[in-house]
Amino acid sequence: MHRDMVDVADKLAYFQAITGLEDPDLCREILYAHGWDLEQAISSFTATNSGVPSASATTITTADALGDDAGGSGQSTIDSRQASEGSGLLARGAPPPGLAWKLITLPFSIISGSLGLISGAIGLGMWAAGGVLSYSLSVIGLNSSRNVDSSPPLVSVSAAASEAMDFVARFERDYGTTRPNFVAEGFMDALQRSRDAFKLLFVYLHSPDHPDTPLFCERTLGSEVLAAFVNENFVAWGASIRASEGFKMSNSLKASRFPFCAVVMAATNQRIALLQQIEGPKSLEEILTILQRVLEESSPVLVAARLDAEERRNNMRLREEQDAAYRAALEADQAREHQRKEEQERLAREATEAERKRKEEEEARERAAHEAAEKEAALARIRQEKALSLGSEPEKGPDVTHVLVRFPTGERKGRRFHNTATIQSLYDYIDSLGCLEVENYSLVSNFPRVVYGPDKLSLSLEEAGLHPQASLFVELNS
C-alpha cells in the first residue's frame, strides 16, 4: 500500500513537472481518467493543448475525460483560462513535447531509423545484385533495358572503361553477340593492349542516330567473317560518339562521315599513327579488302617490332641469367661462410653447454648426497628419539602384551609392551627399527582383518583387542 502511494505521488509530481500544471487536483483527475498511465495522460494533454487556438474560449470537460468513473465530478467544468493562467500556459501557448513525449516518440524513431537502415541495406543489396545481374545480362545480350544509367557496375571502374562496357552491352542488345570483341576499357588501355600484342587497333565510332548505322552493324560488323578476321588480327575498340571518350576520339580522328572505322597503331610520346580511315557505308567485301591491305602493309613493321621486342627480352633474360648466376655464386660463398661460422658457434655452444651440464650434475650429486646425509641423520635422530620414548622392554606379566610384527620382506620382529601402551607406540617401535624405507604404511591384523590406522592411534593395546598377545603385519600404502 505504501509503495502504491509513493508511485502515485511520483507520477503526480512527474506529470506536473512535464505539463507545467500547478493544480494537483486537476493533475490527479487527468491521471485518474487515463488509468494512471503517465505516458498516455501526457500525450493526451499535449495533443489537446496543441490544438487549442485560444485558451480563453476553450473548456476542459472532466466528464468527457473521466466518463462514468468520475465519482460525481463528471458534470463539473474547468475554465482552461484559470488553469492556463495559473500554470503559465497562456503566456507560453501550447507546451512543447516534454520528456514523456520523447519517450513515447523514441521507439517510433528507433523503428523508423531501423527501417531506414534496413531499407538502405536492402537498397544496397539490390543495387549490387542489380549491377551484377544487369552487367551479366548485358554481356550475354539479354538485358533489354535502354536506360543509360541503369545499374552501375559493382566494381569501381574508370569513366572510360564504364563507357566502353556500356557500349558493348548496348551493341549486343541492339545487334546481337556476333561482333568484333570490343575490349571493355578505355582507348589508351586498348592501345596499350594492342602494343603488347603486336597488333593494330581497330577503332569503331558508333553514331546511334545515323541512318546507315543499323544496317552496317547488322550486316558488316555483325558478320561472322569480319568478326573472326578482326578478332584474329586486331585488337578492337568501340565507342559511341554520344559518350565522352567516343566524342573526343571522333574529333581527334576528324570523323566526318558515318559509319566510321579506323586502324591505328601506337607511336611515341602518347601519340597514335592513323593507318586507315573507313568512312561511310561499306560492304563486307570492301571492309575486308581494306583491312587485309592495311594488315599486309603494316606487317613488316609489326614483325620488326616483335623481333625487336624478342631481342630485348632475350638480352634482358641473358643479363638476368648472368646476374642470377653471379648472385647464386655470391650467395653460395656467403652461405658457406655463414655455415662455417655457424659450425664454429655451434661447437662453442656445445662445449659451453657440456661444461654447464657437468657442473650442474656435479652440484646435483653433491646436493643429493648432502640431502641424503641430512635425511639419514634426521631419520637416525627420529629413530633414537622414538626408541627412547618407548622406554625399556617390560618383563612378562599379566599386564604385558607381546606383539609380533611381520615386515614385507618376511622379517619378523617382536617386543613386549604394557597393555596400556597405545597403538602409536607400535608405530614408534617399528620406526625405531629402521627396517622400512617408506613412511606411509599401516599395521594390519589378519583374523579378523583390522587396519590400525590414524583413527586408532590413541587406543591402548587392551582397548584395541591386542592383549595379551597379537600378530600384526606391515602393509605399505600406495
Side-chain angles (χ1 to χ4, degrees):
M1 183 66 178
H2 176 69
R3 181 180 300 175
D4 294 340
M5 294 178 62
V6 172
D7 188 38
V8 168
D10 290 341
K11 289 184 177 181
L12 183 62
Y14 187 80
F15 184 82
Q16 286 183 283
I18 294 299
T19 62
L21 294 178
E22 297 181 358
D23 188 350
D25 295 332
L26 176 60
C27 294
R28 187 178 290 106
E29 289 178 356
I30 296 175
L31 286 169
Y32 182 78
H34 292 86
W36 290 95
D37 188 331
L38 186 60
E39 295 180 357
Q40 184 179 356
I42 294 178
S43 298
S44 177
F45 177 84
T46 307
T48 302
N49 284 276
S50 62
V52 176
S54 174
S56 61
T58 305
T59 60
I60 301 175
T61 306
T62 58
D64 296 336
L66 304 180
D68 296 336
D69 296 332
S73 61
Q75 302 299 324
S76 63
T77 61
I78 302 173
D79 190 349
S80 63
R81 176 185 297 276
Q82 298 175 359
S84 300
E85 290 176 352
S87 60
L89 294 176
L90 185 62
R92 295 196 303 268
L99 179 60
W101 176 262
K102 292 180 182 178
L103 290 175
I104 295 172
T105 308
L106 183 59
F108 176 77
S109 301
I110 294 175
I111 293 172
S112 61
S114 300
L115 289 175
L117 291 175
I118 294 172
S119 62
I122 294 174
L124 179 61
M126 292 299 292
W127 172 83
V132 174
L133 182 61
S134 174
Y135 179 63
S136 302
L137 293 179
S138 299
V139 170
I140 63 176
L142 296 180
N143 188 357
S144 60
S145 174
R146 295 181 177 267
N147 187 4
V148 176
D149 296 329
S150 62
S151 299
L154 180 62
V155 181
S156 177
V157 296
S158 65
S162 178
E163 290 177 358
M165 292 167 61
D166 184 67
F167 164 74
V168 173
R170 288 177 175 274
F171 191 96
E172 290 185 349
R173 179 196 64 198
D174 295 337
Y175 307 110
T177 57
T178 303
R179 55 166 178 80
N181 291 333
F182 297 112
V183 292
E185 55 193 18
F187 177 80
M188 293 306 297
D189 292 331
L191 190 66
Q192 184 61 44
R193 182 186 292 269
S194 68
R195 181 202 296 267
D196 297 338
F198 299 101
K199 291 184 177 181
L200 302 178
L201 181 63
F202 175 81
V203 178
Y204 169 64
L205 297 179
H206 183 71
S207 176
D209 300 325
H210 198 279
D212 295 329
T213 295
L215 192 62
F216 179 77
C217 290
E218 292 173 359
R219 295 187 179 181
T220 305
L221 289 183
S223 169
E224 293 183 358
V225 177
L226 180 65
F229 183 80
V230 172
N231 293 337
E232 181 179 357
N233 298 286
F234 298 86
V235 173
W237 179 82
S240 172
I241 61 173
R242 289 182 178 178
S244 174
E245 193 165 32
F247 178 75
K248 293 177 182 177
M249 288 306 302
S250 68
N251 291 333
S252 299
L253 298 176
K254 296 180 170 36
S256 59
R257 296 177 61 196
F258 292 92
F260 180 88
C261 300
V263 179
V264 301
M265 67 182 301
T268 57
N269 298 327
Q270 300 296 323
R271 296 180 180 181
I272 60 173
L274 177 60
L275 305 181
Q276 182 67 49
Q277 280 183 326
I278 307 174
E279 297 182 288
K282 294 291 188 294
S283 66
L284 174 62
E285 291 75 11
E286 291 177 315
I287 291 285
L288 286 174
T289 301
I290 295 173
L291 295 180
Q292 181 66 39
R293 177 178 54 79
V294 173
L295 194 61
E296 291 174 356
E297 292 176 354
S298 59
S299 178
V301 178
L302 296 176
V303 171
R306 181 180 290 106
L307 293 177
D308 183 61
E310 289 179 358
E311 184 179 0
R312 287 196 303 272
R313 282 197 301 269
N314 291 334
N315 293 336
M316 185 178 298
R317 184 169 57 252
L318 179 60
R319 287 195 299 270
E320 289 176 352
E321 291 175 354
Q322 293 174 346
D323 293 342
Y326 172 76
R327 286 194 301 271
L330 181 61
E331 291 174 358
D333 293 340
Q334 293 175 347
R336 284 192 293 269
E337 180 65 18
H338 182 68
Q339 185 176 4
R340 185 184 64 82
K341 289 183 178 180
E342 284 188 342
E343 183 66 17
Q344 291 178 348
E345 293 175 355
R346 183 184 64 81
L347 294 176
R349 286 196 303 270
E350 290 179 353
T352 303
E353 184 67 16
E355 180 65 18
R356 184 185 63 80
K357 288 184 177 180
R358 187 189 65 78
K359 290 183 178 180
E360 288 181 352
E361 291 174 355
E362 183 178 354
E363 292 175 356
R365 286 194 297 271
E366 292 177 355
R367 186 166 54 252
H370 180 69
E371 291 176 354
E374 289 184 347
K375 184 177 182 180
E376 183 62 26
L379 290 176
R381 185 170 58 255
I382 292 173
R383 286 196 296 269
Q384 184 178 7
E385 291 174 354
K386 289 187 176 183
L388 292 175
S389 67
L390 294 174
S392 58
E393 185 177 2
E395 298 293 334
K396 295 181 179 180
D399 57 348
V400 174
T401 302
H402 185 266
V403 178
L404 181 65
V405 179
R406 180 164 54 87
F407 292 88
T409 59
E411 184 180 2
R412 298 173 182 270
K413 296 288 184 178
R415 190 182 189 281
R416 293 184 298 275
F417 297 88
H418 291 287
N419 59 357
T420 57
T422 61
I423 299 297
Q424 180 64 53
S425 300
L426 300 182
Y427 280 94
D428 293 342
Y429 167 66
I430 294 172
D431 291 341
S432 67
L433 296 177
C435 297
L436 294 175
E437 295 182 357
V438 296
E439 299 177 359
N440 191 9
Y441 65 93
S442 300
L443 292 176
V444 182
S445 62
N446 270 333
F447 304 104
R449 176 179 171 81
V450 178
V451 178
Y452 298 95
D455 56 330
K456 294 182 174 61
L457 294 179
S458 61
L459 296 177
S460 66
L461 300 180
E462 186 172 4
E463 292 173 344
L466 301 177
H467 183 73
Q469 62 182 4
S471 178
L472 305 174
F473 68 90
V474 175
E475 183 178 82
L476 302 180
N477 297 332
S478 57

